[in-house]
Amino acid sequence: MTQERERGITIQSAAVTFDWKGYRINLIDTPGHVDFTLEVERCLRVLDGAVAVFDASAGVEAQTLTVWRQADKHKIPRICFLNKMDKIGASFNYAVESIREKLKAKPLLLQLPIGEGKTFKGVVDVVSKEKLLWNPNSDDGKDFERKPLLEMSDPELLKEITEARNALIEQVADLDDEFADLVLGEFSENFDLLPAEKLQTAVHRVTLAQTAVPVLCGSALKNKGVQPLLDAITMYLPSPEERNYEFLQWYKGDLCALAFKVLHDKQRGPLVFMRIYSGMIKPQLAIHNINGNCTERISRLLLPFADQHVEIPSLTAGNIALTVGLKHTATGDTIVSSKSSALAACRRAEREGEKKHRQNSEAERLLLAGVEIPEPVFFCTIEPPSMAKQPDLDHALKCLQREDPSLKVKLDPDSGQTILCGMGELHIEIIHDRIKREYGLETYLGPLQVAYRETILNSVRATDTLDRTLGDRRHLVTVELEAKSLETSSLLPVIEYAASVAEDLSRASREAIENGLHSACLQGPLLGFPIQDVAITLHSLVIHPGTSTTMISACVSRCLQKALKKADKQILEPLMNLEVTVTRDYLSPVLADLAQRRGNIQEIQTRQDNKVIIAFVPLAEIMGYSTVLRTLTSGSATFALELSNYQAMNPQDQSTLLSQRSGLS
């Protein structure tokens, strides 16, 4: 993307397929910026293994933690690559230590660097005791030599590597019983005789079991250390056959694929990226989309090579394909060969389920593991240059939303404005930029709005009666309920029924009551933001025979609104977890600025020459922070943000906010 070239960051994940020493590798490069967390989430969902790239001078950063947790959630085996070993301030030991401490992972050092910073010239392979030196004059890193370490030429290095290898063997033996037996049996006297292949197989098993992570190092800029990294990927990360996906057994080799990304191409229309789990895909093939419950036809099949695509006649399981011609498929949809194949798989899963006494819903869940989409934290209005352009803007936003599900677009019912909801300032900025470049629309962004929430502090009761005659039917409902605040955090209201009410409620009435309560919680009494952390108890409910369920919903909803109005109300604001990395010289101005922003400093860590400030700051105070921080620190500081939770505002800030919103201040 043009924006990526200009800013020098990854915004959209890009895919490339290449062959390496007889293996086919499908690689997806994901963004590291917190605004694009969804890109990472949806790619991890379809990968078998991952390479976590660290900056050797910074070690584990805020965003690394987020991505690492996502990989844990999807149980992805991974390798760590310490990049930028040639950067000033790079420290192999510091980075390894931070992996051990912050990620709570066990690093297995498979390589050690030869020199650091300016003196970095190659790596030593701990497993095979060879040194790899890159030719300093070659820019593309293709030119390097592999030499065994000899007692004659490198006595110091050989001693260090032997110690490192022995430590590695002991580490792996601790984690893998099969390898431990081998070491204690044949090679207990002398670890040097242990063949490299045996050690590699054991490291492969440990990596797959996710009990440890292999660590390699290098510098991607000059491609130093990239070849051994590719070897390590083929050696230690799982092949598609080694990942055990539970849902595959129901498909018996039939097509099963997950659409994990949609791109819009000017000429070809929507391109859908798919990970094929079983079966094969061909052009002109009719496929069935389980989520959308529709059948579509693939017109062409492409193999992704970043921004060039190569047309291919077919593609088998384990690969990543680009399909042209699918109009309705969106991110997270499961694709199968036909509706009957999906039903057959569902039946097989249910039969298995009955054997294991599982519920059927479990079986259905195995069929469709989609992508979890994070809640947006940034809001602003977007307007076209003129009303005539509104349909074009709607079309552009619809296309962008299909590409990026973390972008939400909604209409404000009160003002009729279009509201963009995104993951952060940068996210919204990029979307604005893309509408201008790709769809030729000059749009105006309104001020960013914060998504507050509301809650109540005490317990209140209310009764309400709805009595209406429509046509010849009388609708009469009387309800009494109590709303109280919850200690724990819950987005949806917790609904309880008094014993006398619960007995004679039909399922339809229960649904109507819950719909009514949920809709009343969508708009709070103070500013119309959603209500959270409330428990509602229904004490009595009298329904006249023949009353429609809509009337029950309406009455319950009105009664709850009445109760909420009477209660002591509290506004909750989104609190962001902020991590600022700054040099010592600029520490005090940054801290002073955070204090003005109602920031709550948790701790200040030292990372080599830098200080890392970890703080909680209300989202409302972070508007335009990137620009201010750049100015304060002459562009030397970096920061990362993620939503932490919602917390109560103090009375003073709350009254200021209320008077602002009601136009009094």
Side-chain angles (χ1 to χ4, degrees):
M1 288 170 73
T2 338
Q3 288 91 333
E4 298 184 307
R5 294 200 185 104
E6 284 173 6
R7 294 165 192 265
I9 57 169
T10 311
I11 293 168
Q12 282 196 338
S13 45
V16 62
T17 304
F18 60 92
D19 294 303
W20 179 257
K21 298 188 178 173
Y23 291 96
R24 159 67 51 96
I25 297 181
N26 287 291
L27 169 78
I28 297 186
D29 168 40
T30 64
H33 196 285
V34 66
D35 283 16
F36 309 108
T37 308
L38 177 82
E39 282 289 324
V40 183
E41 177 78 28
R42 62 176 167 190
C43 296
L44 278 174
R45 169 69 195 77
V46 296
L47 296 178
D48 297 321
V51 177
V53 183
F54 298 82
D55 176 336
S57 65
V60 175
E61 295 174 85
Q63 190 52 21
T64 318
L65 276 164
T66 310
V67 177
W68 195 267
R69 283 199 295 267
Q70 285 171 305
D72 279 338
K73 184 169 81 184
H74 292 296
K75 301 190 171 57
I76 307 265
R78 59 215 93 136
I79 289 178
C80 297
F81 181 68
L82 305 180
N83 189 21
K84 306 188 184 177
M85 282 305 301
D86 52 0
K87 183 176 162 184
I88 296 170
S91 158
F92 182 79
N93 292 342
Y94 168 77
V96 171
E97 212 35 59
S98 81
I99 291 175
R100 187 175 288 129
E101 278 176 22
K102 293 188 182 169
L103 301 177
K104 306 283 182 273
K106 291 191 176 143
L108 301 175
L109 307 186
L110 304 186
Q111 290 179 349
L112 292 180
I114 302 176
E116 284 178 352
K118 284 268 168 27
T119 59
F120 176 73
K121 53 180 188 288
V123 299
V124 187
D125 187 328
V126 175
V127 180
S128 62
K129 290 197 186 173
E130 291 173 315
K131 65 175 179 182
L132 287 76
L133 293 174
W134 271 262
N135 178 352
N137 304 324
S138 111
D139 273 345
D140 58 4
K142 280 183 188 161
D143 190 8
F144 69 102
E145 52 176 351
R146 212 180 243 282
K147 291 188 200 156
L149 285 175
L150 299 170
E151 188 71 57
M152 314 275 287
S153 47
D154 315 278
E156 289 294 308
L157 196 55
L158 182 64
K159 186 173 168 232
E160 190 186 337
I161 291 305
T162 309
E163 281 172 13
R165 188 171 190 258
N166 292 349
L168 175 68
I169 291 173
E170 283 170 14
Q171 248 183 313
V172 178
D174 277 348
L175 300 166
D176 186 276
D177 297 343
E178 195 181 322
F179 184 68
D181 296 343
L182 179 78
V183 172
L184 294 171
E186 297 172 47
F187 306 103
S188 56
E189 299 304 312
N190 187 354
F191 283 173
D192 289 352
L193 300 174
L194 183 82
E197 297 75 51
K198 298 273 192 214
L199 182 51
Q200 283 160 350
T201 323
V203 172
H204 174 79
R205 281 199 302 269
V206 168
T207 310
L208 257 56
Q210 293 167 55
T211 44
V213 284
V215 176
L216 297 101
C217 61
S219 158
L221 180 65
K222 300 274 172 64
N223 283 330
K224 290 180 183 175
V226 173
Q227 298 89 338
L229 175 65
L230 289 172
D231 293 339
I233 290 171
T234 56
M235 213 180 298
Y236 304 124
L237 288 180
S239 75
E241 276 105 51
E242 289 176 295
R243 285 303 298 269
N244 178 20
Y245 293 105
E246 204 167 283
F247 56 86
L248 286 189
Q249 55 192 8
W250 323 131
Y251 282 101
K252 304 273 192 248
D254 238 357
L255 171 69
C256 170
L258 184 80
F260 65 94
K261 188 174 161 71
V262 181
L263 275 183
H264 282 271
D265 187 283
K266 282 275 189 297
Q267 283 80 34
R268 302 189 180 110
L271 302 177
V272 179
F273 280 87
M274 283 193 199
R275 159 72 202 261
I276 311 172
Y277 285 104
S278 69
M280 72 187 301
I281 285 188
K282 291 185 175 137
Q284 301 311 320
L285 180 74
I287 51 121
H288 179 70
N289 176 339
I290 299 188
N291 302 49
N293 196 11
C294 58
T295 301
E296 302 201 78
R297 188 172 291 281
I298 295 174
S299 56
R300 293 162 66 202
L301 191 61
L302 309 169
L303 206 54
F305 282 98
D307 50 0
Q308 281 99 36
H309 305 130
V310 182
E311 200 153 336
I312 46 168
S314 73
L315 202 57
T316 52
N319 281 299
I320 283 173
L322 248 183
T323 56
V324 184
L326 299 181
K327 301 273 186 294
H328 306 290
T329 303
T331 296
D333 287 357
T334 304
I335 304 297
V336 293
S337 53
S338 64
K339 194 165 186 175
S340 55
S341 132
L343 289 170
C346 207
R347 278 198 298 276
R348 282 183 207 124
E350 276 170 21
R351 276 205 297 278
E352 274 298 307
E354 278 159 24
K355 280 182 204 163
K356 294 180 185 164
H357 306 296
R358 281 206 191 139
Q359 297 115 343
N360 294 348
S361 63
E362 177 83 10
E364 284 169 311
R365 212 175 72 226
L366 294 178
L367 297 176
L368 317 168
V371 178
E372 282 179 38
I373 294 160
E375 282 300 309
V377 288
F378 250 58
F379 294 75
C380 71
T381 54
I382 182 165
E383 288 176 9
S386 67
M387 280 317 287
K389 295 275 187 196
Q390 186 69 43
D392 298 348
L393 176 62
D394 292 343
H395 168 71
L397 289 173
K398 197 175 160 192
C399 291
L400 288 168
Q401 255 181 298
R402 222 182 117 181
E403 265 183 45
D404 175 3
S406 66
L407 170 74
K408 303 257 196 323
V409 179
K410 56 185 188 193
L411 267 176
D412 182 350
D414 304 330
S415 63
Q417 289 174 303
T418 309
I419 299 176
L420 280 191
C421 319
M423 301 304 297
E425 232 169 328
L426 181 66
H427 187 196
I428 299 275
E429 204 178 304
I430 300 276
I431 295 292
H432 184 216
D433 198 30
R434 286 185 62 186
I435 292 174
K436 181 176 166 182
R437 290 188 198 192
E438 293 167 30
Y439 299 93
L441 287 172
E442 277 287 356
T443 53
Y444 301 104
L445 290 185
L448 289 167
Q449 304 289 342
V450 179
Y452 293 100
R453 298 268 166 84
E454 297 181 20
T455 190
I456 57 174
L457 300 173
N458 55 348
S459 141
V460 276
R461 273 189 179 226
T463 51
D464 201 354
T465 304
L466 184 90
D467 188 355
R468 286 214 186 130
T469 308
L470 294 176
D472 52 357
R473 275 173 71 182
R474 183 177 180 204
H475 302 274
L476 173 62
V477 191
T478 305
V479 69
E480 180 186 355
L481 53 76
E482 177 187 13
K484 57 174 188 284
S485 61
L486 268 179
E487 293 303 310
T488 51
S489 175
S490 153
L491 292 179
L492 294 173
V494 176
I495 301 170
E496 293 159 354
Y497 298 94
S500 55
V501 180
E503 287 160 14
D504 45 355
L505 269 187
S506 67
R507 189 168 164 195
S509 316
R510 200 171 272 236
E511 267 180 23
I513 291 168
E514 292 182 4
N515 288 343
L517 294 175
H518 284 157
S519 68
C521 285
L522 291 177
Q523 284 203 321
L526 273 173
L527 291 172
F529 284 108
I531 290 268
Q532 67 171 40
D533 308 344
V534 289
I536 297 156
T537 312
L538 208 64
H539 287 296
S540 81
L541 179 72
V542 182
I543 305 171
H544 188 272
T547 302
S548 75
T549 49
T550 331
M551 292 296 175
I552 300 176
S553 283
C555 180
V556 171
S557 175
R558 198 169 74 179
C559 184
L560 178 57
Q561 279 169 338
K562 211 169 171 181
L564 294 173
K565 279 202 178 94
K566 289 200 294 194
D568 296 341
K569 297 168 281 285
Q570 170 73 56
I571 290 183
L572 303 172
E573 60 179 343
L575 202 61
M576 305 302 281
N577 195 344
L578 170 73
E579 189 169 308
V580 186
T581 309
V582 58
T583 53
R584 291 189 178 163
D585 321 345
Y586 295 115
L587 182 64
S588 51
V590 172
L591 286 174
D593 175 64
L594 283 176
Q596 283 181 336
R597 295 173 185 272
R598 302 191 292 155
N600 178 356
I601 313 288
Q602 297 299 303
E603 59 172 321
I604 298 176
Q605 300 173 345
T606 305
R607 183 184 290 164
Q608 290 178 342
D609 304 338
N610 291 338
K611 291 287 188 190
V612 181
I613 306 165
I614 294 169
F616 288 122
V617 185
L619 175 65
E621 305 290 341
I622 282 288
M623 303 294 181
Y625 186 59
S626 45
T627 335
V628 174
L629 187 66
R630 271 186 216 130
T631 319
L632 279 177
T633 61
S634 320
S636 67
T638 55
F639 76 101
L641 267 183
E642 61 179 342
L643 180 67
S644 165
N645 57 357
Y646 277 82
Q647 82 156 14
M649 288 179 87
N650 68 33
Q652 197 182 349
D653 295 326
Q654 181 166 321
S655 56
T656 317
L657 176 71
L658 287 170
S659 53
Q660 265 176 3
R661 285 301 171 101
S662 53
L664 296 172
S665 66

